[in-house]
Amino acid sequence: MPASSLNSASLALSYGHAEAGLVEHSGGVTVALANPVLDGPADETWVRLAAGGSRHGSLTLWHGDDGSRWGAASVVVEPGSLAAAAERVYREIFQAQGHLTLQRIWNYIPRINAPCGGHGQDRYQAFCGGRARALQASGRDGAGMPAASAMGTPGDVLTVLFVAGTDPVRHVENPRQLPAHRYPARYGPHPPSFARASLVSRPDGARRLYLSGTASIRGSESLHPGDVVAQLSVALENADLVARAAGLTGGLGAGGPGARRLRLYLRRAEDWPTVRPMLDAHLPRAGDWLSVIEADICRPELLVEIEACVDTA
Ligand code: 3EB
């Protein structure tokens, strides 16, 4: 293949599709999700690919042209097998990871709030159980995991996207939230495992902050059930605290124009006009990239979650 067409191949996370799946095409690969787009771009291009994908079990793996490694699974979950599907995907991620460091993981969990297994558990908790078993099987504890998001998605497909690399990564916590792997058992028998953010340092001194899905949680408790405006305010505060804890002076506002990409997830599409003025007030800069996606949040009382990627020189 001529270098020019290799250079144009890219990996994008893309919302608003009739069906979820990995779509390889002449322009690269699209990780397609069925969540509706409420505003802003439907696609987020993450990296230019240096080569075509290779298979590893349920994963497809790619090399980014910047040395990063990307992998994705998009698997149909048969009834009753969400935990097993999550365990399989995570076991394969840990195998594929080799000597690389995980930087960021996105999880899209079909019908995330639906009951599961009849012991008062829901599907998010089942997903956490499968992920916990894979962690245990690979001899890890939850403490070393990178930034992540775990969102609901319509249909029956579990989608997991991750990026790993050789650059140094510092995982960051929020001083006002309990680390997720230490959540008490009332949020589920197997706590989630992710860092609030992961800061990647490039050889040229540039840094990238991957900010996890961030909700209205303090300590381990959900604040302001049912109040989307108050929830967004806490989520934005949390995001800012984490960005500052990562050393970004200026918090979530760090970096020059175009340095920040932000995604807002809303459980209820009708809340977008309500919260839009708040976001406009928090994102006053030209060049800010904002995508608004309809998605269920992992706890039923939560209505909004934000995630971000901030590049600084
Ligand atoms: C929270 O703070 C909200 O299970 O990987 C955010 C990011 C959330 C990642 C995960 C869950 C996850 O607990 C939920």
Coordinates of all heavy atoms in Angstrom, one line a residue, residues 233-296:
S233 N -23.0 19.8 37.9 CA -22.2 20.7 38.6 C -21.1 19.9 39.4 O -19.9 20.2 39.4 CB -23.0 21.6 39.5 OG -22.3 22.2 40.5
V234 N -21.6 18.8 40.1 CA -20.6 18.0 40.9 C -19.7 17.3 40.0 O -18.4 17.2 40.2 CB -21.4 17.0 41.8 CG1 -20.4 16.1 42.5 CG2 -22.2 17.7 42.8
A235 N -20.2 16.8 38.8 CA -19.3 16.0 37.9 C -18.2 17.0 37.3 O -17.1 16.6 37.2 CB -20.2 15.5 36.8
L236 N -18.6 18.2 37.0 CA -17.6 19.1 36.5 C -16.6 19.5 37.5 O -15.4 19.6 37.2 CB -18.3 20.4 36.0 CG -19.0 20.3 34.6 CD1 -20.0 21.5 34.4 CD2 -18.0 20.2 33.5
E237 N -17.0 19.6 38.8 CA -16.1 19.9 39.9 C -15.1 18.7 40.0 O -13.9 18.9 40.2 CB -16.9 20.0 41.2 CG -16.9 21.4 41.8 CD -17.8 21.4 43.0 OE1 -17.4 20.8 44.0 OE2 -18.9 22.0 42.9
N238 N -15.7 17.5 40.0 CA -14.8 16.3 40.1 C -13.8 16.3 39.0 O -12.6 16.0 39.2 CB -15.7 15.0 40.1 CG -16.3 14.7 41.4 OD1 -15.7 15.1 42.5 ND2 -17.4 14.0 41.4
A239 N -14.2 16.6 37.8 CA -13.3 16.5 36.6 C -12.2 17.5 36.8 O -11.0 17.2 36.5 CB -14.1 16.8 35.3
D240 N -12.6 18.7 37.3 CA -11.6 19.7 37.5 C -10.6 19.3 38.6 O -9.4 19.5 38.5 CB -12.3 21.0 37.9 CG -11.5 22.2 37.5 OD1 -11.1 22.3 36.3 OD2 -11.2 23.1 38.4
L241 N -11.1 18.7 39.7 CA -10.2 18.3 40.8 C -9.2 17.2 40.3 O -8.1 17.2 40.7 CB -11.1 17.7 41.9 CG -11.8 18.6 42.8 CD1 -12.9 17.9 43.6 CD2 -10.9 19.3 43.8
V242 N -9.7 16.3 39.5 CA -8.9 15.3 39.0 C -7.8 15.8 38.0 O -6.6 15.5 38.1 CB -9.7 14.2 38.3 CG1 -8.8 13.1 37.6 CG2 -10.6 13.5 39.2
A243 N -8.2 16.8 37.2 CA -7.2 17.4 36.3 C -6.1 18.1 37.1 O -5.0 18.0 36.7 CB -7.9 18.3 35.3
R244 N -6.5 18.8 38.1 CA -5.6 19.5 39.0 C -4.7 18.5 39.7 O -3.5 18.7 39.9 CB -6.3 20.4 40.0 CG -6.8 21.7 39.3 CD -7.6 22.5 40.2 NE -8.4 23.4 39.4 CZ -8.0 24.5 38.8 NH1 -6.7 24.9 39.0 NH2 -8.8 25.3 38.1
A245 N -5.3 17.4 40.2 CA -4.5 16.3 40.9 C -3.5 15.7 39.9 O -2.4 15.3 40.4 CB -5.4 15.2 41.4
A246 N -3.8 15.8 38.6 CA -2.8 15.2 37.6 C -1.8 16.3 37.3 O -0.9 16.0 36.5 CB -3.6 14.9 36.4
G247 N -1.8 17.4 37.9 CA -0.8 18.4 37.7 C -1.1 19.4 36.6 O -0.2 20.2 36.2
L248 N -2.3 19.4 36.1 CA -2.7 20.4 35.0 C -3.1 21.7 35.7 O -4.2 21.7 36.3 CB -3.8 19.8 34.2 CG -3.4 19.0 32.9 CD1 -2.6 17.8 33.3 CD2 -4.7 18.7 32.1
T249 N -2.2 22.6 35.7 CA -2.6 23.9 36.2 C -3.7 24.5 35.3 O -3.6 24.3 34.1 CB -1.4 24.9 36.2 OG1 -0.3 24.3 35.6 CG2 -1.1 25.5 37.5
G250 N -4.7 25.0 35.9 CA -5.9 25.4 35.1 C -6.9 24.2 35.0 O -7.9 24.4 34.4
G251 N -6.6 23.1 35.6 CA -7.6 22.0 35.7 C -8.0 21.6 34.3 O -7.3 21.4 33.4
L252 N -9.3 21.4 34.2 CA -9.9 20.9 33.0 C -9.7 21.9 31.8 O -9.8 21.6 30.7 CB -11.4 20.7 33.2 CG -12.2 19.8 32.2 CD1 -11.5 18.4 32.1 CD2 -13.6 19.7 32.6
G253 N -9.4 23.2 32.2 CA -9.2 24.2 31.2 C -7.8 24.3 30.7 O -7.5 25.2 30.0
A254 N -6.9 23.4 31.1 CA -5.5 23.4 30.7 C -5.4 23.2 29.2 O -6.3 22.7 28.6 CB -4.7 22.3 31.4
G255 N -4.3 23.6 28.7 CA -4.0 23.4 27.3 C -4.5 24.5 26.4 O -5.4 25.3 26.8
G256 N -4.0 24.6 25.2 CA -4.4 25.7 24.3 C -5.7 25.3 23.6 O -6.3 24.3 23.9
P257 N -6.1 26.2 22.7 CA -7.3 26.0 21.9 C -7.3 24.6 21.2 O -6.2 24.3 20.6 CB -7.3 27.1 20.9 CG -6.4 28.1 21.4 CD -5.4 27.4 22.2
G258 N -8.3 23.9 21.2 CA -8.4 22.6 20.5 C -7.7 21.5 21.3 O -7.7 20.4 20.8
A259 N -7.2 21.8 22.5 CA -6.4 20.8 23.2 C -7.4 19.8 24.0 O -7.0 18.8 24.4 CB -5.5 21.4 24.2
R260 N -8.6 20.2 24.1 CA -9.5 19.5 25.0 C -10.7 19.0 24.2 O -11.3 19.7 23.4 CB -10.0 20.5 26.1 CG -11.1 20.0 26.9 CD -11.4 20.9 28.1 NE -11.6 22.3 27.6 CZ -12.1 23.2 28.4 NH1 -12.3 23.0 29.7 NH2 -12.3 24.4 27.9
R261 N -10.9 17.7 24.4 CA -12.1 17.1 23.8 C -13.0 16.5 25.0 O -12.4 15.8 25.9 CB -11.8 16.0 22.9 CG -11.1 16.5 21.6 CD -10.9 15.5 20.6 NE -9.9 14.6 21.0 CZ -9.4 13.6 20.3 NH1 -9.9 13.3 19.1 NH2 -8.4 12.8 20.8
L262 N -14.2 16.9 25.0 CA -15.1 16.5 26.1 C -16.3 15.8 25.6 O -16.9 16.2 24.6 CB -15.5 17.8 26.8 CG -15.9 17.6 28.3 CD1 -15.1 18.6 29.1 CD2 -17.4 17.8 28.5
R263 N -16.7 14.8 26.3 CA -17.9 14.1 26.0 C -18.9 14.1 27.1 O -18.5 13.9 28.3 CB -17.7 12.6 25.5 CG -18.9 11.9 25.2 CD -18.7 10.6 24.5 NE -18.3 10.8 23.1 CZ -17.0 10.7 22.7 NH1 -16.1 10.2 23.5 NH2 -16.7 10.9 21.4
L264 N -20.1 14.4 26.8 CA -21.2 14.5 27.9 C -22.1 13.3 27.5 O -22.6 13.2 26.4 CB -21.9 15.8 27.8 CG -23.1 16.0 28.7 CD1 -22.6 16.3 30.1 CD2 -23.9 17.2 28.2
Y265 N -22.3 12.5 28.5 CA -23.3 11.4 28.4 C -24.6 11.8 29.2 O -24.4 12.1 30.4 CB -22.8 10.1 28.9 CG -21.6 9.5 28.2 CD1 -20.3 9.6 28.8 CD2 -21.8 8.8 27.0 CE1 -19.2 9.0 28.1 CE2 -20.7 8.2 26.4 CZ -19.4 8.3 27.0 OH -18.3 7.7 26.3
L266 N -25.7 11.7 28.6 CA -27.0 12.0 29.3 C -27.9 10.8 29.2 O -28.1 10.2 28.1 CB -27.7 13.2 28.6 CG -27.1 14.6 28.8 CD1 -27.8 15.6 28.0 CD2 -27.1 15.0 30.3
R267 N -28.4 10.4 30.4 CA -29.4 9.3 30.4 C -30.7 9.7 29.6 O -31.3 8.9 28.9 CB -29.8 9.0 31.8 CG -30.8 7.9 32.0 CD -31.2 7.7 33.4 NE -30.1 7.1 34.2 CZ -29.7 5.9 34.3 NH1 -30.3 5.0 33.5 NH2 -28.7 5.5 35.0
R268 N -31.1 11.0 29.8 CA -32.4 11.4 29.2 C -32.1 12.5 28.1 O -31.6 13.6 28.5 CB -33.3 12.0 30.2 CG -33.5 11.0 31.4 CD -34.5 11.6 32.4 NE -34.1 12.9 32.9 CZ -34.4 13.3 34.2 NH1 -35.0 12.5 35.1 NH2 -34.0 14.5 34.6
A269 N -32.4 12.2 26.9 CA -32.2 13.2 25.8 C -32.8 14.5 26.1 O -32.2 15.6 25.8 CB -32.7 12.6 24.5
E270 N -33.9 14.5 26.8 CA -34.6 15.8 27.0 C -33.9 16.7 28.0 O -34.2 17.9 28.2 CB -36.0 15.5 27.5 CG -36.2 14.8 28.8 CD -36.3 13.3 28.7 OE1 -35.7 12.8 27.7 OE2 -36.9 12.7 29.6
D271 N -32.8 16.2 28.7 CA -32.1 17.1 29.6 C -31.0 17.9 28.9 O -30.5 18.8 29.5 CB -31.3 16.2 30.6 CG -32.3 15.7 31.7 OD1 -33.3 16.3 31.9 OD2 -31.9 14.7 32.4
W272 N -30.8 17.7 27.6 CA -29.7 18.5 26.9 C -30.0 20.0 26.9 O -29.1 20.8 27.3 CB -29.4 17.9 25.5 CG -28.5 18.7 24.7 CD1 -28.6 19.0 23.4 CD2 -27.2 19.2 25.1 NE1 -27.5 19.7 22.9 CE2 -26.6 19.8 24.0 CE3 -26.5 19.3 26.3 CZ2 -25.4 20.5 24.0 CZ3 -25.3 19.9 26.4 CH2 -24.7 20.5 25.2
P273 N -31.2 20.4 26.5 CA -31.5 21.9 26.6 C -31.3 22.4 28.0 O -30.9 23.6 28.2 CB -32.9 22.0 26.1 CG -33.2 20.7 25.4 CD -32.4 19.7 26.0
T274 N -31.6 21.6 29.0 CA -31.5 22.1 30.4 C -30.1 22.3 30.8 O -29.8 23.3 31.5 CB -32.1 21.0 31.4 OG1 -33.4 20.6 30.8 CG2 -32.3 21.5 32.8
V275 N -29.2 21.4 30.4 CA -27.8 21.5 30.9 C -26.9 22.3 30.0 O -25.8 22.7 30.3 CB -27.2 20.1 31.3 CG1 -27.9 19.5 32.4 CG2 -27.1 19.3 30.0
R276 N -27.3 22.5 28.8 CA -26.5 23.2 27.8 C -25.9 24.5 28.2 O -24.7 24.7 28.1 CB -27.3 23.4 26.5 CG -26.5 24.0 25.4 CD -27.3 24.2 24.1 NE -26.4 24.2 23.1 CZ -26.6 23.7 21.9 NH1 -27.7 23.2 21.5 NH2 -25.6 23.8 21.0
P277 N -26.7 25.4 28.9 CA -26.2 26.7 29.3 C -25.0 26.5 30.3 O -24.1 27.2 30.4 CB -27.3 27.4 30.0 CG -28.6 26.7 29.4 CD -28.2 25.3 29.1
M278 N -25.1 25.4 31.2 CA -24.0 25.2 32.2 C -22.8 24.8 31.5 O -21.7 25.2 31.8 CB -24.4 24.0 33.0 CG -25.3 24.3 34.1 SD -25.5 22.8 35.1 CE -24.0 22.8 36.0
L279 N -22.9 24.0 30.4 CA -21.7 23.6 29.7 C -21.1 24.8 29.0 O -19.9 24.9 28.9 CB -22.0 22.5 28.7 CG -21.9 21.1 29.2 CD1 -21.6 20.2 28.1 CD2 -20.8 20.9 30.3
D280 N -21.9 25.6 28.4 CA -21.5 26.8 27.6 C -20.7 27.6 28.6 O -19.6 28.2 28.3 CB -22.6 27.5 27.0 CG -23.2 26.8 25.8 OD1 -22.5 25.9 25.3 OD2 -24.4 27.2 25.4
A281 N -21.2 27.7 29.8 CA -20.5 28.6 30.8 C -19.1 28.0 31.2 O -18.2 28.7 31.6 CB -21.3 28.7 32.1
H282 N -19.0 26.6 31.2 CA -17.8 26.0 31.6 C -16.8 25.8 30.5 O -15.6 25.5 30.7 CB -18.1 24.6 32.2 CG -18.3 24.6 33.7 ND1 -19.5 24.9 34.2 CD2 -17.4 24.4 34.7 CE1 -19.4 24.9 35.5 NE2 -18.2 24.6 35.8
L283 N -17.3 25.9 29.2 CA -16.4 25.7 28.1 C -16.5 26.9 27.2 O -17.0 26.9 26.1 CB -16.9 24.5 27.3 CG -17.1 23.2 28.0 CD1 -17.7 22.1 27.2 CD2 -15.7 22.7 28.5
P284 N -15.9 28.0 27.7 CA -16.0 29.2 26.9 C -15.1 29.4 25.8 O -15.2 30.4 25.1 CB -15.7 30.3 28.0 CG -14.8 29.6 29.0 CD -15.0 28.1 28.9
R285 N -14.2 28.4 25.5 CA -13.1 28.7 24.5 C -13.5 28.2 23.2 O -14.1 27.1 23.0 CB -11.9 28.0 24.9 CG -11.1 28.6 26.1 CD -9.8 28.0 26.2 NE -9.9 26.6 25.9 CZ -9.2 25.7 26.6 NH1 -8.5 26.0 27.7 NH2 -9.3 24.4 26.3
A286 N -13.2 29.0 22.2 CA -13.3 28.6 20.8 C -12.4 27.4 20.6 O -11.3 27.3 21.2 CB -12.9 29.7 19.8
G287 N -12.8 26.4 19.8 CA -12.0 25.3 19.5 C -12.3 24.1 20.5 O -11.7 23.0 20.3
D288 N -13.1 24.3 21.5 CA -13.4 23.2 22.4 C -14.3 22.2 21.6 O -15.2 22.6 20.9 CB -14.2 23.7 23.6 CG -13.2 24.0 24.7 OD1 -12.1 23.4 24.8 OD2 -13.5 24.9 25.6
W289 N -14.0 21.0 21.8 CA -14.7 19.9 21.1 C -15.6 19.3 22.1 O -15.2 18.8 23.2 CB -13.6 19.0 20.6 CG -14.0 17.9 19.7 CD1 -13.9 17.8 18.4 CD2 -14.6 16.6 20.1 NE1 -14.3 16.6 17.9 CE2 -14.7 15.8 18.9 CE3 -15.0 16.0 21.3 CZ2 -15.3 14.6 18.9 CZ3 -15.5 14.8 21.3 CH2 -15.6 14.0 20.1
L290 N -16.9 19.2 21.8 CA -17.9 18.7 22.7 C -18.8 17.8 21.9 O -19.4 18.1 20.9 CB -18.7 19.8 23.4 CG -19.9 19.3 24.2 CD1 -19.4 18.5 25.4 CD2 -20.8 20.5 24.6
S291 N -19.0 16.5 22.4 CA -19.9 15.6 21.8 C -20.9 15.2 22.9 O -20.5 14.9 24.1 CB -19.1 14.4 21.3 OG -19.8 13.2 21.3
V292 N -22.1 15.2 22.6 CA -23.2 14.8 23.6 C -23.9 13.6 23.1 O -24.5 13.5 22.0 CB -24.2 16.0 23.7 CG1 -25.2 15.7 24.8 CG2 -23.4 17.3 24.0
I293 N -23.9 12.6 24.0 CA -24.3 11.2 23.6 C -25.4 10.8 24.6 O -25.2 11.0 25.8 CB -23.1 10.2 23.7 CG1 -22.0 10.7 22.7 CG2 -23.6 8.8 23.4 CD1 -22.4 10.7 21.2
E294 N -26.4 10.1 24.1 CA -27.4 9.5 25.0 C -26.9 8.2 25.5 O -26.6 7.3 24.6 CB -28.8 9.4 24.3 CG -29.9 8.9 25.2 CD -31.2 8.8 24.4 OE1 -31.4 9.6 23.4 OE2 -32.1 8.0 24.8
A295 N -26.8 8.0 26.8 CA -26.4 6.7 27.3 C -26.9 6.6 28.7 O -26.9 7.5 29.5 CB -24.8 6.7 27.3
D296 N -27.2 5.3 29.1 CA -27.5 5.0 30.5 C -26.2 5.1 31.3 O -25.1 4.8 30.8 CB -28.1 3.7 30.7 CG -29.5 3.7 30.1 OD1 -30.1 4.8 30.1 OD2 -30.0 2.6 29.8

